[in-house]
């Protein structure tokens, strides 16, 4: 049974603590578009950094790319998005609401007098299903009437395909090799929702791996393994992750095989990343539509071929939501509820908080010094207001793995208390070793 109260609590915590706000909130908000506040932007950056590190910096066979959001309109004809990236939708002529054709709340047959609008209840006001393209359109050029229609990209992958030869030549890579990119994508989703799970503006972390035809199935399996391991290294619970294989009719037009990595959210199991064997569909289509040869010449084998592509495609916002949901917990401590975001230290927005026990006896001065020292290396937070227990709780809610307390002994023995967020246990650490103590625990292995 989906537990939506956890989501409500998380959404409220995210707003209260400065992780995520609704876009344009003072104007009543913009549907399914969200802004990241001070803690949220750090969290999402850390997720993206972990991905970039694993996919680009830690490998010799993948290059990075940052392609533009606006692309030649023919790209989207070649990719199949102009003709195929559409959902069947139904309009209510009375209240002007729009519904997906498979909306379970619709009673009767849309287009017929018996059909009833699920919002205003009018009978006979629903249109027959009509295809509605999910791409956002805009105009390029100074005069709107004569300007070319361009699209906001609905996926980052196409920027990789159209640049594959440029990257190949510039980097001196050889097939098999990959191109990775993180960037914004836009979809005019009809049923967005569940906070940042499905939004109209989002970021993707996509990698296209170009391989020799015939080796695609093997690379597909290899990439499935690598990507699942990455999610586990982020600290996500193994029992809340699973595979979902796309069966025949579910397969996208471009895919020979596809698996989703799914996570068990409070609103049910849902996709967080797709791994696709796209064969030569994309390069073949771009070759056909652009008229430019996109074949690879394998010098060693003296043969030419169009590489096959294995794609790994994750949503940065969706993985950030997964990290938040996975980290959220409530515990009973001494008769009070303690709310903790138990992030993996590598993705925690703030690594350490520095807290003078009292605001006197030189403690704030020394604490400020310690704070400035740590801040050179890690995002830190200084807090001297309120009882120490309350300050710890505030840091638990922000997911800060370590609280460093400056007390009487710090002044005499130059040691501090380091309180661990998860166990709440405390260690006594010498000031000289403090930075190393934190560094050792927040720096990921890869
Ligand atoms: N290039 C392939 C592709 O775009 P997709 O399954 O449509 O495949 C890949 O999207 C990933 O992008 C999803 O697994 C999800 O994490 C993220 N994603 C897709 N649509 C999204 C949306 N409306 N809001 C947030 N994330 C989204």
């Amino acid at each position: 049974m989906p537990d939506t109260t956890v989501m409500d609590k998380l959404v409220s915590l995210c707003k209260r603590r400065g992780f995520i706000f609704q876009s344009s909130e003072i104007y009543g908000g913009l549907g399914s578009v969200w802004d990241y506040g001070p803690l949220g932007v750090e969290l999402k950056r850390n997720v993206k950094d972990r991905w970039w590190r694993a996919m680009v910096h830690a490998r010799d066979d993948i290059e990075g790319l940052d392609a533009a959001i606006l692309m030649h309109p023919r790209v989207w004809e070649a990719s199949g998005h102009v003709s195929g990236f559409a959902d069947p939708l139904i309009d209510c002529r009375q209240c002007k609401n729009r519904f997906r054709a498979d909306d379970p709340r619709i009673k009767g047959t849309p287009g017929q007098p018996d059909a009833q609008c699920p919002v205003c209840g009018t009978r006979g006001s629903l249109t027959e299903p009509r295809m509605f393209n999910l791409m956002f359109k805009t105009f390029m050029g100074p005069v709107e009437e004569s300007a070319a229609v361009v699209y906001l990209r609905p996926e980052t992958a196409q920027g990789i395909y159209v640049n594959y030869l440029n990257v190949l030549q510039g980097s001196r890579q050889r097939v098999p090799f990959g191109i990775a990119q993180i960037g914004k994508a836009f979809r005019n989703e009809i049923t967005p929702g569940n906070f940042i799970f499905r939004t109209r503006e989002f970021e993707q972390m996509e990698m296209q791996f170009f391989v020799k035809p015939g080796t695609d199935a093997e690379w597909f399996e290899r990439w499935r393994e690598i990507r699942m391991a990455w999610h586990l290294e982020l600290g996500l619970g193994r029992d809340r992750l699973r595979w979902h294989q796309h069966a025949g009719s579910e397969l996208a037009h471009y895919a020979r095989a596809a698996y989703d990595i799914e996570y068990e959210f409070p609103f049910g199991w849902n996709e967080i990343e797709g791994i696709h064997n796209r064969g030569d569909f994309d390069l073949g289509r771009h070759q056909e539509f652009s008229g430019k040869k996109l074949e690879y010449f394998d010098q060693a084998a003296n043969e030419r071929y169009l590489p096959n592509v294995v794609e790994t495609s994750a949503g940065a916002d969706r993985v950030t939501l997964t990290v938040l949901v996975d980290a959220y917990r409530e515990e009973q401590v001494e008769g009070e509820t303690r709310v903790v975001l138990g992030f993996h230290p590598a993705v925690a927005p703030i690594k350490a908080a520095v807290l003078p026990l009292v605001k006197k006896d030189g403690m704030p001065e020394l604490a400020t010094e310690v704070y400035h020292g740590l801040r050179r290396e890690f995002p830190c937070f200084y807090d001297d207001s309120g009882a120490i227990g309350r300050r710890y709780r505030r840091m638990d809610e922000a997911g800060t793995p370590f609280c460093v307390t400056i007390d009487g002994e710090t002044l005499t023995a130059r040691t501090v208390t380091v309180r661990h967020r998860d166990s709440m246990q405390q260690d006594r650490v010498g000031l000289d070793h403090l930075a190393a103590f934190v560094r050792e625990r927040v720096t990921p292995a890869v």
Side-chain angles (χ1 to χ4, degrees):
M1 179 73 179
D3 180 3
T4 46
T5 55
V6 171
M7 281 309 290
D8 292 343
K9 287 181 185 172
L10 191 64
V11 173
S12 131
L13 170 78
C14 281
K15 173 159 186 213
R16 189 160 33 87
R17 296 312 314 262
F19 280 93
I20 299 166
F21 316 119
Q22 198 181 7
S23 162
S24 322
E25 195 184 344
I26 59 168
Y27 287 96
L30 182 68
S32 290
V33 185
W34 298 88
D35 299 337
Y36 288 78
L39 293 188
V41 70
E42 292 292 335
L43 179 65
K44 186 164 137 184
R45 273 178 81 116
N46 290 341
V47 167
K48 291 189 286 183
D49 285 351
R50 297 312 312 139
W51 187 87
W52 196 258
R53 169 90 202 124
M55 300 297 273
V56 183
H57 291 171
R59 298 186 64 105
D60 294 330
D61 56 357
I62 299 185
E63 303 288 339
L65 179 76
D66 185 7
I69 288 170
L70 301 178
M71 301 183 75
H72 194 288
R74 290 276 283 166
V75 167
W76 306 110
E77 289 173 33
S79 68
H81 283 86
V82 170
S83 58
F85 194 53
D87 274 346
L89 298 176
I90 290 162
D91 288 314
C92 173
R93 293 190 200 90
Q94 184 65 31
C95 68
K96 311 293 179 214
N97 270 295
R98 182 166 266 177
F99 311 95
R100 281 174 67 113
D102 59 3
D103 192 321
R105 297 170 305 162
I106 294 176
K107 297 197 184 75
T109 313
Q112 301 298 316
D114 68 318
Q116 191 178 7
C117 172
V119 172
C120 68
T122 310
R123 281 188 193 279
S125 64
L126 297 181
T127 63
E128 280 183 10
R130 286 182 297 212
M131 294 311 278
F132 177 84
N133 197 292
L134 301 184
M135 282 195 293
F136 281 101
K137 273 184 196 166
T138 188
F139 303 96
M140 197 155 134
V143 185
E144 189 168 313
E145 291 73 39
S146 58
V149 169
V150 290
Y151 300 97
L152 301 188
R153 66 180 176 199
E155 62 171 13
T156 61
Q158 300 303 323
I160 293 181
Y161 296 125
V162 302
N163 277 300
Y164 123 90
L165 279 185
N166 289 335
V167 174
L168 191 62
Q169 283 151 13
S171 63
R172 304 181 67 86
Q173 286 282 357
R174 292 193 185 137
V175 169
F177 85 108
I179 304 176
Q181 165 162 238
I182 299 178
K184 289 268 186 178
F186 303 83
R187 297 183 189 177
N188 197 2
E189 299 278 6
I190 302 310
T191 48
N194 287 324
F195 198 25
I196 55 168
F197 178 81
R198 182 171 287 111
T199 55
R200 295 194 166 107
E201 174 178 340
F202 55 98
E203 269 184 287
Q204 287 188 313
M205 309 185 286
E206 295 202 298
M207 192 281 299
Q208 317 297 126
F209 205 73
F210 300 87
V211 305
K212 187 174 180 179
T215 65
D216 48 306
E218 184 193 325
W219 275 108
F220 179 64
E221 288 309 318
R222 221 184 278 184
W223 275 110
R224 280 183 55 202
E225 224 171 88
I226 296 171
R227 292 307 306 150
M228 182 59 101
W230 183 81
H231 288 280
L232 291 168
E233 274 162 29
L234 265 190
L236 300 183
R238 185 179 288 272
D239 53 344
R240 288 169 120 184
L241 289 166
R242 73 176 186 193
W243 287 107
H244 167 73
Q245 182 178 13
H246 286 220
S249 61
E250 222 184 322
L251 272 181
H253 59 279
Y254 54 72
R256 282 184 189 164
Y259 276 86
D260 293 338
I261 296 177
E262 291 190 336
Y263 180 81
E264 190 179 21
F265 290 97
F267 45 88
W269 285 96
N270 275 286
E271 169 189 348
I272 54 173
E273 169 157 0
I275 324 288
H276 311 127
N277 180 349
R278 298 178 70 130
D280 64 2
F281 175 84
D282 305 272
L283 291 184
R285 293 277 288 192
H286 285 304
Q287 184 164 266
E288 184 191 333
F289 278 66
S290 68
K292 298 272 174 357
K293 276 252 168 284
L294 297 180
E295 283 175 339
Y296 171 75
F297 179 59
D298 183 340
Q299 274 181 333
N302 196 26
E303 60 177 326
R304 251 173 227 291
Y305 55 80
L306 208 53
N308 283 186
V309 170
V310 174
E311 169 183 68
T312 72
S313 176
D317 309 84
R318 214 173 267 190
V319 175
T320 302
L321 177 63
T322 313
V323 166
L324 277 162
V325 166
D326 207 72
Y328 184 89
R329 61 173 195 267
E330 290 173 15
E331 295 169 359
Q332 289 307 310
V333 178
E334 292 164 9
E336 274 188 32
T337 305
R338 175 172 100 111
V339 175
V340 187
L341 286 177
F343 298 129
H344 188 297
V347 295
I350 302 170
K351 307 301 183 196
V354 181
L355 322 170
L357 188 60
V358 289
K359 271 204 237 180
K360 56 181 186 185
D361 302 334
M363 285 184 212
E365 291 76 11
L366 186 51
T368 307
E369 216 177 280
V370 171
Y371 165 67
H372 284 297
L374 285 179
R375 215 180 59 169
R376 274 191 219 118
E377 259 190 86
F378 323 100
C380 292
F381 190 77
Y382 179 87
D383 188 2
D384 63 7
S385 63
I388 193 75
R390 295 195 72 78
R391 283 184 267 165
Y392 284 154
R393 291 290 183 273
R394 286 202 289 262
M395 284 298 117
D396 291 342
E397 268 196 345
T400 306
F402 303 106
C403 284
V404 176
T405 307
I406 312 298
D407 53 21
E409 255 184 271
T410 318
L411 302 169
T412 53
R414 294 196 63 79
T415 60
V416 291
T417 303
V418 179
R419 180 241 193 207
H420 298 252
R421 174 197 64 205
D422 297 329
S423 64
M424 293 185 285
Q425 284 182 346
Q426 308 195 348
D427 284 326
R428 204 73 210 172
V429 178
L431 271 182
D432 295 347
H433 301 114
L434 183 60
F437 181 95
V438 177
R439 189 182 314 122
E440 229 168 72
R441 287 158 180 82
V442 303
T443 313
V446 185

